[in-house]
Amino acid sequence: MTNLNLLPQTDWDAGPRTTERSTFAGLEINDDAVRTPVPGTPRALVEFDFPGVRVGVAEYADGPTGVTVIEFEGGARTAIDDRGGAVGITGRYSYNSAIALTGGSVQGLAAASGVTDAIMAERGRKTGFADLVPVSGACIYDFAVRDNAITPDNALGRAAHANAVPGRVPIGRVGAGVAASCGKMSPTSTEWAGQGAAFVQVGELKVLAIVVVNAVGVVVDRDGRVLRGNLQPDGSRRHPIVDGMLAFDPTSAAMPYQPGNTTISTVVTNAKVNDADLAQLATQVHSSMHRAIQPFHTALDGDTLFLVTTDEVELPSFDARKTLSPSVASVGAIASEVMWNAIIESVR
């Protein structure tokens, strides 16, 4: 049995990472200057072993804002679980050549078309039905922490595709997570978050989780400690439940939570499951993420998870007349812990 290492030590740097605040008006846009895509500067690289899977990032440094693309050679079946009050999504395909995670809110979804165009060009610009390149994508609202309106576009999507490589995921303030933030109980309590990833193999089963945390909520570890977000004037961080209770105290000066938040994520597995089980896996993993992000799936969030399978590994068999699939639930349990690791890495 492979050593799971699902519960790593946190090794936490507790230093504050405060954000700027936008004026939200009269801001510079893409057309005001020539934008040059850059690969960004990751904090680290997470290695994974998934033949046919490539990950690439690209950014506009003067945003900053960016794109992360996860590509699947030959395409892969996909289930989508989206929740919250402000979901920004494109494609929604059940079979994808790539998933594009992007900043720039709904305008940034244009990056997904760039990924489509780049792959199509590489394949000889064929337009037969079987040659089409489906790419689904989701976006975060990252305008609140930068004083411009620069967004990912077709060219940045193309650049992320050009930068895609097998075997590693850049993490930190990079790609779609370069301007991601969390813990927005007030404008002054917000801290930088970012992009995280984690990978585990159990026997032949493989699970890769990639997440961009841009939540109104804070990120907590497995002991319930607030790791990032809701920063207080004395440098401490407090759980949002305190702010929630203060909101009902007429003598309190508690501020309302800040709008414009989204956590977008992708889980890649090689487990061969039917469409119904694939959808249930997406629900199971997405539901589990509330343990690491609190609060989660609020009316102020637009959270989306893509669950993708490369359909390579048969799961243990079971008698469907007697029980639901325990093996699929086990994959979900493993993937949920891998995702928690990825969330922690997004804010380290």
PDB file of all heavy atoms in Angstrom, residues 49 79 144 240 302 330 335:
ATOM      1  N   ASP A  49       2.015  12.550 -11.194  1.00  0.00           N
ATOM      2  CA  ASP A  49       2.283  11.510 -12.190  1.00  0.00           C
ATOM      3  C   ASP A  49       0.971  11.146 -12.862  1.00  0.00           C
ATOM      4  O   ASP A  49       0.242  10.270 -12.400  1.00  0.00           O
ATOM      5  CB  ASP A  49       2.919  10.291 -11.522  1.00  0.00           C
ATOM      6  CG  ASP A  49       3.158   9.156 -12.515  1.00  0.00           C
ATOM      7  OD1 ASP A  49       3.154   9.426 -13.723  1.00  0.00           O
ATOM      8  OD2 ASP A  49       3.324   8.001 -12.071  1.00  0.00           O
ATOM      9  N   ALA A  79     -17.466  16.043 -14.624  1.00  0.00           N
ATOM     10  CA  ALA A  79     -18.661  16.416 -13.874  1.00  0.00           C
ATOM     11  C   ALA A  79     -18.411  17.781 -13.236  1.00  0.00           C
ATOM     12  O   ALA A  79     -17.276  18.096 -12.857  1.00  0.00           O
ATOM     13  CB  ALA A  79     -18.979  15.380 -12.805  1.00  0.00           C
ATOM     14  N   ALA A 144     -11.186  43.474  -6.613  1.00  0.00           N
ATOM     15  CA  ALA A 144     -11.229  44.234  -5.367  1.00  0.00           C
ATOM     16  C   ALA A 144      -9.849  44.545  -4.809  1.00  0.00           C
ATOM     17  O   ALA A 144      -9.682  45.496  -4.045  1.00  0.00           O
ATOM     18  CB  ALA A 144     -12.051  43.484  -4.321  1.00  0.00           C
ATOM     19  N   PRO A 240     -14.581  33.530  11.552  1.00  0.00           N
ATOM     20  CA  PRO A 240     -15.697  34.379  11.122  1.00  0.00           C
ATOM     21  C   PRO A 240     -16.964  34.221  11.945  1.00  0.00           C
ATOM     22  O   PRO A 240     -17.849  35.080  11.862  1.00  0.00           O
ATOM     23  CB  PRO A 240     -15.934  33.934   9.669  1.00  0.00           C
ATOM     24  CG  PRO A 240     -14.640  33.373   9.226  1.00  0.00           C
ATOM     25  CD  PRO A 240     -14.044  32.727  10.440  1.00  0.00           C
ATOM     26  N   GLY A 302     -19.111  32.239  -5.575  1.00  0.00           N
ATOM     27  CA  GLY A 302     -19.571  31.516  -6.761  1.00  0.00           C
ATOM     28  C   GLY A 302     -18.668  30.331  -7.013  1.00  0.00           C
ATOM     29  O   GLY A 302     -17.858  30.353  -7.937  1.00  0.00           O
ATOM     30  N   SER A 330     -15.007   5.829  -1.294  1.00  0.00           N
ATOM     31  CA  SER A 330     -13.624   5.846  -0.807  1.00  0.00           C
ATOM     32  C   SER A 330     -12.758   6.770  -1.657  1.00  0.00           C
ATOM     33  O   SER A 330     -11.911   7.496  -1.131  1.00  0.00           O
ATOM     34  CB  SER A 330     -13.047   4.426  -0.824  1.00  0.00           C
ATOM     35  OG  SER A 330     -13.760   3.591   0.070  1.00  0.00           O
ATOM     36  N   ALA A 335      -9.964  11.915  -2.183  1.00  0.00           N
ATOM     37  CA  ALA A 335      -9.879  13.164  -2.926  1.00  0.00           C
ATOM     38  C   ALA A 335     -10.193  14.366  -2.038  1.00  0.00           C
ATOM     39  O   ALA A 335      -9.614  15.449  -2.212  1.00  0.00           O
ATOM     40  CB  ALA A 335     -10.828  13.125  -4.116  1.00  0.00           C
TER      41      ALA A 335
END
